[in-house]
Amino acid sequence: MKLMRRILTRAGLDRVPPAVRKIVIAVIGTTIFLIGVALIVLPGPAFIVIPIGLSILASEFIWAQRVIKRGRIFLEKVVRVAK
């Protein structure tokens, strides 16, 4: 999340009105997320691109933060079972 704030500051989006910033973040994050979903069936690193899109969305949306948290919990359970 701190990285996203630094990126927003460097891009100048911290000076933009909050409604415009939210729309820009939503469009960029959703686009990257959907590309990741398409990469599930296409050849490519979907398991890298989807979390990047979610982390972009999580910089502005609480629901995306919850999805990331649930994903981490699920991944920890999978790792525990795999050991």
Side-chain angles (χ1 to χ4, degrees):
M1 302 306 163
K2 293 178 186 178
L3 176 64
M4 286 306 302
R5 291 292 172 202
R6 278 192 277 163
I7 291 171
L8 290 175
T9 302
R10 283 199 177 172
L13 287 175
D14 59 333
R15 296 182 300 248
V16 177
V20 174
R21 181 179 62 234
K22 203 167 218 173
I23 291 170
V24 170
I25 295 297
V27 169
I28 292 170
T30 303
T31 302
I32 293 173
F33 177 76
L34 291 176
I35 289 170
V37 170
L39 288 176
I40 291 173
V41 295
L42 299 172
F47 66 95
I48 295 173
V49 177
I50 291 173
I52 290 172
L54 280 175
S55 66
I56 291 170
L57 290 169
S59 70
E60 289 292 325
F61 300 103
I62 300 295
W63 64 265
Q65 291 175 0
R66 285 191 217 122
V67 169
I68 290 173
K69 184 183 254 184
R70 287 181 185 160
R72 285 182 183 156
I73 292 169
F74 177 75
L75 188 60
E76 289 171 0
K77 288 180 181 177
V78 168
V79 168
R80 262 189 268 129
V81 169
K83 285 184 179 182

